Amino acid sequence: MQLIGMLDSPYVRRVAISMRLMGIPFEHRSLSVFGGFDEFRTLNPVVKAPTLICDDGSALMDSTLILDYLDSLNAGRLSLMPTEPAARQRTLRVIGLALAGSEKAVQVVYETRLRPADKQHAPWLARVRLQLGAALDGLEAEFARHAPSTSALDQAGVSSAVTWRFVHEMLPEIVNIDDYPLLRDWGSEAERHPAFIATPFA
Ligand SMILES: N[C@@H](CCC(=O)N[C@@H](CS)C(=O)NCC(=O)O)C(=O)O
């Protein structure tokens, strides 16, 4: 299998780290959806990162759908999704907050770095920044109730740490890491895990 996309994408990175944790071998092709647009189109004409090229050549996209497929391959081995209902509900809530945080951060990046300054829409940016702050607040509140740990790393832990890294690396001007001490500490702990070290944000 080939995983296509750059590790500066939180979506690509969450899939790559998960594959390492699950022990699923893959080849990583670090192609940009911008600079590598034409080459990316030959693999997936929709140009979405991540794209997973399966062993039969089929191209899957969307990190959550790719992880769902990988989970089916890994049946009976390590899964990053708890099955007990209360634990699964908590995991899904954290993943939802993390994915929303990534989505809003990506929107800020696209709006401020891709769109010419005279075409940027301040009310839209203000709305997205508010949503990003709410997602990070939600994660901080969840961690106050239930702290993640690398000794029991699940998809909530992977996705929240990956989002945190992306958000504070890409948007230091709007996210003060000390406003989120639990996320900051979790991010530091997770980044020391071998699966994270082997999958560097770049
Ligand atoms: N919901 C998707 C979001 C993926 C996404 O938007 N990836 C970005 C890169 S960070 C991308 O493909 N951007 C190019 C585009 O949307 O045209 C997922 O979870 O994989």
Side-chain angles (χ1 to χ4, degrees):
M1 280 183 290
Q2 283 188 357
L3 179 64
I4 318 293
M6 292 174 66
L7 293 176
D8 65 353
S9 160
Y11 308 106
V12 176
R13 193 164 182 239
R14 77 191 278 252
V15 172
I17 290 170
S18 300
M19 290 179 87
R20 290 191 199 286
L21 289 170
M22 294 163 85
I24 299 177
F26 64 102
E27 180 193 336
H28 178 218
R29 284 180 71 176
S30 183
L31 258 188
S32 166
V33 289
F34 293 107
F37 188 78
D38 289 334
E39 191 180 348
F40 212 123
R41 283 184 69 210
T42 65
L43 301 164
N44 176 3
V46 189
V47 190
K48 285 302 290 183
T51 289
L52 184 78
I53 310 293
C54 301
D55 287 341
D56 68 355
S58 171
L60 299 183
M61 65 201 99
D62 193 285
S63 58
T64 299
L65 303 182
I66 291 170
L67 289 169
D68 184 75
Y69 171 68
L70 294 172
D71 227 17
S72 75
L73 292 183
N74 227 31
R77 289 189 278 160
L78 176 74
S79 170
L80 299 174
M81 292 299 293
T83 50
E84 189 274 317
R88 195 173 180 98
Q89 184 192 57
R90 190 174 58 239
T91 299
L92 290 171
R93 167 146 175 88
V94 171
I95 296 170
L97 287 165
L99 290 177
S102 281
E103 179 188 298
K104 295 301 152 188
V106 168
Q107 286 175 349
V108 173
V109 171
Y110 286 0
E111 182 74 9
T112 54
R113 300 189 196 170
L114 294 183
R115 199 180 284 275
D118 63 327
K119 303 238 169 18
Q120 290 174 19
H121 188 49
W124 165 250
L125 255 179
R127 179 184 195 276
V128 173
R129 285 173 64 154
L130 199 70
Q131 291 171 290
L132 170 58
L136 297 178
D137 290 345
L139 285 172
E140 190 74 7
E142 286 299 327
F143 289 176
R145 276 189 285 274
H146 184 91
S149 160
T150 43
S151 58
L153 198 49
D154 65 4
Q155 192 51 245
V158 171
S159 297
S160 56
V162 163
T163 288
W164 175 246
R165 182 73 188 268
F166 178 78
V167 166
H168 80 77
E169 291 267 358
M170 299 298 285
L171 302 172
E173 68 284 10
I174 67 171
V175 176
N176 178 2
I177 58 173
D178 294 325
D179 288 345
Y180 301 98
L182 300 178
L183 263 170
R184 180 197 60 203
D185 292 351
W186 169 237
S188 305
E189 182 182 334
E191 293 290 349
R192 289 195 293 271
H193 189 284
F196 279 71
I197 292 172
T199 319
F201 177 85

